[in-house]
Amino acid sequence: MAVHTDSHVETPEIHSTPNFLRDMIAEDVRLKRYGNAVVQTRFPPEPNGYLHIGHAKAICLDFGLADEFGGKTNLRFDDTNPEKEEQEYVDSIQNDVRWLGFDWERLCYASDYFGQLYEWAIQLLRAGKAYVDDLSADEIRQHRGTLTEPGRDSPYRNRAVEENLDLFTRMKAGEFPDGSRVLRAKIDMASPNINMRDPIMYRILHAEHHRTGNEWCIYPMYDYAHGQSDSIENVTHSMCTLEFADHRPLYRWFIEQLGIFPSQQIEFDRLNLTYTLLSKRKLLQLVQEGRVNGWDDPRMPTLSGFRRRGFTPEGIRSFVTSLGATRTNGIIDFEMLEHLQRDDLNKRATRGMAVLRPLKLVIDNFPEGQTEYVEVANNPEDPAAGTRQVPFSRELYIEREDFREVPPPKYYRLSPGKEVRLRNAYFVTAHSLVKDAVGSVVEVHCTYDPASRGGNSPDGRKVKSTMHWVSAAHTISAEVRLYDKLFSNPNPLHVPEGGSFLDNLNPNSLEVVSHAKLELSLAEAKVGAPYQFERVGYFCLDPDSTAEKLVFNRTLALKDTWARIEKKAGA
Ligand code: ATP
Ligand code: MG
């Protein structure tokens, strides 16, 4: 079982969603296409950035499907671009895959196979299936042709095998400068598929690699490295996103020419989400330009960002699993992700009361100096979470927006003369105000009905509003970071001519509330655990917190726009 079981709530995987990959694997297993070999998959990130939620989809498919068929999954770093790759990314990727709940059979690196790949290149050279080309990158592009015109042969295409072998060995030995020569597969310059027009297999790059150091100065291209790495690992089903569909004939060609393990590439739809960009290059730009506070900024669609924001791995898995897999790219509503997160958070979040923008409420007829305790469920969805005693006293804080001196129509919360329920406590009726020199309300005075203890109506009289509160003498202060969408346009790439996706950044994606008042029990909050501030939203403790200063992040507000969209659609 690849899914960790250390979390206390089990999320059932959703098997009813159409997933053609599952059907294909099932068919291969039934027909014994790979004999009795186990289903073997791999998740192959390039360590050039942090994983994002699109990768979570690939991870759940690679690990999840192998697991369903009793198979195995490797984590393989596709590390063939030394200039862009770093150990920091290698570490974060492993951490994120584990956090999502998966563990790999083997940890592999394409760079582990550089020696084997080189030998296979020699084999292709000997067979006359590859050649060293001296054309420049520009010239190669000019010779490649277009979608409507065939390409032209390079003048170096018909070099003798011995000359090719000599030049390639010298490329490896470091005799030539970057960009001066490449190794190309000799396939078909007139192929309708441009990927088959003598694709480049190796380029010269005198660059230090994060693992192999300066051992190599020639590096294999993705198309040559990927399929062969799959084959070395006996990968049966190499799942990748649809943009690689045109590369499949090349993937097959190399494997057939070399006569090695017949891994097969299968493409599925890439995850796109509204209000989000899932491109490592663009996410890197946001980080490098300081538009966000690092890869794990809670507004980032990275797994580390979602984790810091308070999203749960179970909620993310249930979202990506619910998408299944198809062969058509689409765009998924961000609200759907939020909806499934709320479902999961609702099940496991510990409840607490917190007032973000406090307004003092004084109960004139409550005895001074007295504290009562009300017993409250820690999580009404989970009786095992137990109860706690919440202090109640004469001076409380309520949310500033829960009081209006002059209530607009349909405003049912507190206003002079109006009676409301304080959650789990008493009915109170406001009767007077204290204002400061500039006329802002600083204190509301009210009376309570002792017979309404527990928030129950003593005589069947109804109140239209229930409000949260904290006892003024029993609070801790905290900074609360209210996050909203990073982009204000559902398609961040949609910009007027000459514009940039950066123009679509939401200027209000972060609001900091400095002096929220929290129920004392929240002083025990732990990083990584979900909380619900009642009536306000889901929150989590940020790792920036210190003993002196707690910092909470809003994971999600309570209101569920997706549920509304669904309701509208159904209506
Ligand atoms: P990016 O364009 O963000 O750099 P990538 O595809 O180059 O992404 P890789 O590290 O090469 O990133 O991806 C590892 C695996 O994750 C690949 O199999 C890739 O197809 C898959 N993957 C990447 N992005 C998505 C996505 N948005 N939805 C589903 N799978 C994805
Ligand atoms: Mg890639």
Side-chain angles (χ1 to χ4, degrees):
M1 185 70 185
V3 174
H4 288 321
T5 48
D6 51 14
S7 50
H8 65 288
V9 179
E10 276 293 314
T11 312
E13 301 296 336
I14 302 160
H15 288 285
S16 52
T17 317
N19 182 332
F20 80 100
L21 295 169
R22 174 182 295 124
D23 302 340
M24 274 187 73
I25 298 176
E27 185 68 357
D28 285 349
V29 169
R30 194 178 67 81
L31 296 175
K32 289 191 181 286
R33 177 172 177 155
Y34 289 96
N36 288 323
V38 293
V39 170
Q40 174 76 53
T41 64
R42 87 288 169 261
F43 172 61
E46 182 178 353
N48 61 352
Y50 280 58
L51 296 181
H52 52 60
I53 187 144
H55 293 115
K57 172 170 172 167
I59 293 170
C60 287
L61 289 169
D62 292 330
F63 283 88
L65 289 174
D67 195 44
E68 273 181 44
F69 290 94
K72 296 181 168 143
T73 306
N74 295 341
L75 173 59
R76 182 172 75 234
F77 289 102
D78 210 341
D79 54 351
T80 55
N81 290 311
E83 288 162 312
K84 292 186 180 161
E85 297 159 1
E86 287 174 29
Q87 187 62 35
E88 176 193 349
Y89 300 138
V90 169
D91 296 338
S92 76
I93 288 170
Q94 294 186 49
N95 191 30
D96 288 347
V97 172
R98 286 212 178 90
W99 175 73
L100 203 54
F102 298 100
D103 210 347
W104 42 92
E105 175 72 12
R106 284 201 294 138
L107 181 64
C108 309
Y109 295 82
S111 55
D112 291 344
Y113 311 137
F114 282 172
Q116 175 69 77
L117 293 173
Y118 178 78
E119 278 172 35
W120 278 336
I122 299 277
Q123 186 182 324
L124 291 174
L125 278 167
R126 287 216 171 93
K129 305 279 182 178
Y131 61 98
V132 173
D133 196 345
D134 299 359
L135 291 184
S136 68
D138 263 350
E139 291 166 325
I140 290 179
R141 208 169 304 122
Q142 284 156 18
H143 279 74
R144 190 173 293 135
T146 64
L147 286 173
T148 48
E149 290 164 52
R152 285 175 292 131
D153 286 3
S154 159
Y156 304 99
R157 194 173 198 261
N158 292 314
R159 272 182 160 142
V161 168
E162 285 315 315
E163 187 187 354
N164 275 322
L165 282 171
D166 173 61
L167 286 171
F168 186 54
T169 344
R170 287 165 60 199
M171 273 169 67
K172 175 179 182 276
E175 285 188 29
F176 310 120
D178 289 5
S180 58
R181 292 194 158 86
V182 290
L183 183 72
R184 298 178 72 174
K186 194 169 179 176
I187 310 180
D188 178 6
M189 287 306 292
S191 171
N193 182 338
I194 292 181
N195 293 294
M196 299 298 272
R197 294 183 189 168
D198 292 8
I200 297 174
M201 294 168 61
Y202 275 93
R203 77 271 198 213
I204 302 174
L205 202 59
H206 292 264
E208 187 167 313
H209 185 278
H210 72 107
R211 292 188 76 241
T212 56
N214 293 307
E215 191 184 338
W216 295 87
C217 62
I218 55 170
Y219 289 95
M221 302 296 287
Y222 170 88
D223 282 315
Y224 179 60
H226 199 89
Q228 282 43 259
S229 302
D230 284 344
S231 185
I232 290 170
E233 294 173 21
N234 287 353
V235 166
T236 54
H237 300 84
S238 176
M239 295 174 268
C240 62
T241 34
L242 279 169
E243 69 271 21
F244 291 102
D246 287 347
H247 297 239
R248 196 189 329 136
L250 180 55
Y251 181 101
R252 233 185 255 152
W253 188 88
F254 281 124
I255 284 180
E256 278 166 11
Q257 299 306 314
L258 293 168
I260 54 181
F261 184 86
S263 302
Q264 53 176 330
Q265 175 185 304
I266 320 167
E267 312 86 24
F268 61 90
D269 59 319
R270 197 176 173 87
L271 172 61
N272 296 299
L273 269 181
T274 56
Y275 297 99
T276 309
L277 283 176
L278 299 181
S279 145
K280 276 187 283 191
R281 199 165 49 79
K282 295 213 168 56
L283 298 178
L284 176 64
Q285 189 181 344
L286 293 175
V287 172
Q288 284 178 336
E289 292 182 7
R291 311 271 176 172
V292 293
N293 300 314
W295 284 99
D296 69 343
D297 185 299
R299 292 165 292 186
M300 288 281 272
T302 51
L303 295 182
S304 51
F306 280 123
R307 172 166 65 238
R308 187 157 182 186
R309 173 83 172 252
F311 279 52
T312 64
E314 293 83 355
I316 290 178
R317 289 206 305 264
S318 112
F319 168 67
V320 295
T321 312
S322 75
L323 302 172
T326 72
R327 289 197 49 90
T328 322
N329 281 329
I331 302 177
I332 306 295
D333 269 308
F334 197 86
E335 283 81 6
M336 180 178 165
L337 168 62
E338 295 185 336
H339 171 69
L340 290 169
Q341 271 300 321
R342 281 195 188 87
D343 262 6
D344 190 58
L345 289 167
N346 182 42
K347 280 184 242 157
R348 60 180 89 231
T350 303
R351 270 57 168 181
M353 288 200 283
V355 173
L356 299 190
R357 297 171 185 87
L359 173 64
K360 184 72 82 61
L361 179 73
V362 182
I363 308 172
D364 289 338
N365 60 337
F366 193 90
E368 247 171 274
Q370 180 174 313
T371 304
E372 279 185 16
Y373 288 86
V374 292
E375 183 169 8
V376 176
N378 286 329
N379 179 356
E381 303 290 320
D382 177 15
T387 61
R388 70 188 186 285
Q389 301 289 328
V390 179
F392 183 87
S393 65
R394 187 169 190 268
E395 297 200 354
L396 311 171
Y397 289 115
I398 59 168
E399 209 69 68
R400 204 157 258 286
E401 63 177 28
D402 283 341
F403 176 81
R404 291 287 183 91
E405 182 176 5
V406 182
K410 297 200 175 162
Y411 185 87
Y412 299 123
R413 289 170 271 171
L414 201 61
S415 57
K418 181 87 59 72
E419 184 170 54
V420 300
R421 174 190 293 108
L422 295 178
R423 191 166 167 75
N424 298 311
Y426 291 102
F427 284 17
V428 293
T429 307
H431 57 74
S432 60
L433 314 174
V434 178
K435 293 186 180 178
D436 64 10
V438 295
S440 312
V441 177
V442 291
E443 226 171 79
V444 176
H445 285 251
C446 65
T447 51
Y448 83 121
D449 177 355
S452 62
R453 195 183 152 93
N456 301 313
S457 177
D459 53 7
R461 106 183 162 258
K462 297 249 183 336
V463 290
K464 282 205 164 141
S465 186
T466 298
M467 296 172 10
H468 62 280
W469 50 272
V470 290
S471 167
H474 306 90
T475 64
I476 39 159
S477 286
E479 175 179 310
V480 177
R481 298 175 183 168
L482 304 175
Y483 292 103
D484 201 349
K485 297 195 167 75
L486 185 55
F487 292 98
S488 37
N489 192 313
N491 177 0
L493 294 179
H494 188 89
V495 276
E497 188 134 345
S500 143
F501 74 98
L502 299 168
D503 303 341
N504 281 324
L505 281 168
N506 174 6
N508 304 314
S509 58
L510 170 59
E511 181 189 352
V512 177
V513 173
S514 320
H515 299 290
K517 301 285 186 190
L518 277 48
E519 181 187 318
L520 279 183
S521 65
L522 288 165
E524 309 296 316
K526 304 254 178 318
V527 170
Y531 298 89
Q532 187 194 97
F533 295 177
E534 297 196 34
R535 286 185 70 232
V536 182
Y538 294 103
F539 290 80
C540 66
L541 189 68
D542 190 86
D544 277 351
S545 297
T546 61
E548 289 74 42
K549 182 181 158 198
L550 296 184
V551 178
F552 281 85
N553 297 325
R554 181 171 68 195
T555 309
L556 289 169
L558 283 184
K559 94 175 161 164
D560 191 331
T561 41
W562 176 252
R564 263 195 300 147
I565 292 169
E566 263 191 327
K567 214 166 157 194
K568 249 198 232 153

